[in-house]
Amino acid sequence: MSAFTAAVGALFADPNMGRDAVYIADGGAPVLVRVVARRADAVTDFGDARLWSETTRIDLRVAEVPNPRPGDCIEIDGDAFLIQGEPVRDHERLVWTVDLRPA
């Protein structure tokens, strides 16, 4: 196990950072996973305007969710979300970052 893999595992296992969630691939069975919330809102520049919007962005471990796709469902604390847009993997290929929208 590499140092990066161990660090990611510790981050997701930390009760202050990681949370339990249920991942359901489109047409698949529910799988218990750990997620880490990234940020609660985003500011986007559009011409001279700056737009603020609430977002739900989380990290998933590639080891737990090897191929997340848009439309897959994630349930966190009883709230259901759908993955929107293409998931992005980190440089080390250990973590997916996904944008969610309410289901």
Side-chain angles (χ1 to χ4, degrees):
M1 175 185 314
S2 75
F4 288 115
T5 304
V8 167
L11 176 73
F12 277 80
D14 185 313
N16 298 305
M17 299 291 292
R19 300 168 71 180
D20 289 328
V22 177
Y23 172 80
I24 307 167
D26 192 18
V31 177
L32 183 63
V33 298
R34 294 283 291 174
V35 300
V36 173
R38 294 278 293 189
R39 57 181 146 181
D41 51 11
V43 176
T44 307
D45 292 328
F46 184 74
D48 291 335
R50 294 186 63 154
L51 305 173
W52 172 82
S53 60
E54 288 186 39
T55 62
T56 302
R57 186 173 292 160
I58 62 166
D59 287 340
L60 297 165
R61 285 189 287 191
V62 172
E64 292 181 329
V65 183
N67 192 27
R69 304 299 317 145
D72 291 352
C73 183
I74 296 179
E75 295 178 5
I76 304 169
D77 296 332
D79 295 323
F81 299 91
L82 295 175
I83 295 176
Q84 64 179 2
E86 288 296 321
V88 177
R89 269 195 298 197
D90 70 324
H91 179 65
E92 299 297 325
R93 307 292 219 202
L94 299 173
V95 176
W96 289 106
T97 298
V98 297
D99 288 318
L100 303 177
R101 66 176 174 82

